[in-house]
Amino acid sequence: MFDHVSLQCDDLTASREFYETVLAPLGITVSMDFGTVLGLSGQDGVPKFWLGKQTTGGSQREIHVAFTAPNRSVVDKIYQAVRKLGAEVLHEPKEWPEYHPGYYAVFVRDPDSNNVEVVSHS
């Protein structure tokens, strides 16, 4: 559906720690580091998710980004990682039948107040 997504961050160091910790159970890591811009990728090594210092515009608006987990266990691992970071949990892991049967997700806030979801469709 998309080639890549890029978020501008107020504190790139804090965002890097958040996303490296939260996305580690999905096998997503920083694969490119240009100092003020980071490319994160999965097993294929091709960055699809980018983080960079805020350089344009004023205050940010909330963005919602959802990452696919292979199963509910990984969603639960990410929830535990977020709790260890002390990040805000918007919705603890649960099934959301109003989306569709088997939609199991956790919703959290990143350091820039974006709404980050990790979902399993199993």
Side-chain angles (χ1 to χ4, degrees):
M1 177 69 75
F2 62 87
D3 184 72
H4 64 276
V5 172
S6 179
L7 300 181
Q8 291 189 4
C9 311
D10 290 327
D11 183 340
L12 188 58
T13 301
S15 292
R16 179 179 187 153
E17 178 186 10
F18 176 85
Y19 282 104
E20 281 185 316
T21 302
V22 170
L23 300 180
L26 297 175
I28 297 173
T29 60
V30 173
S31 59
M32 292 186 172
D33 183 343
F34 296 102
T36 59
V37 177
L38 305 170
L40 289 84
S41 58
Q43 295 175 349
D44 65 0
V46 177
K48 300 276 187 190
F49 185 64
W50 292 85
L51 301 172
K53 288 276 294 161
Q54 170 121 6
T55 60
T56 59
S59 61
Q60 293 180 295
R61 294 182 181 188
E62 178 182 313
I63 294 170
H64 175 75
V65 61
F67 295 89
T68 303
N71 55 54
R72 291 177 178 213
S73 175
V74 172
V75 173
D76 293 337
K77 286 179 186 176
I78 288 168
Y79 168 68
Q80 293 303 323
V82 167
R83 290 184 43 98
K84 285 182 184 174
L85 280 174
E88 181 182 358
V89 175
L90 299 171
H91 300 288
E92 294 185 4
K94 71 173 194 170
E95 188 162 335
W96 297 82
E98 60 269 33
Y99 298 147
H100 67 71
Y103 194 107
Y104 185 79
V106 62
F107 295 79
V108 302
R109 271 259 183 254
D110 77 1
D112 291 292
S113 296
N114 292 308
N115 179 335
V116 178
E117 174 185 358
V118 180
V119 59
S120 169
H121 296 280
S122 57

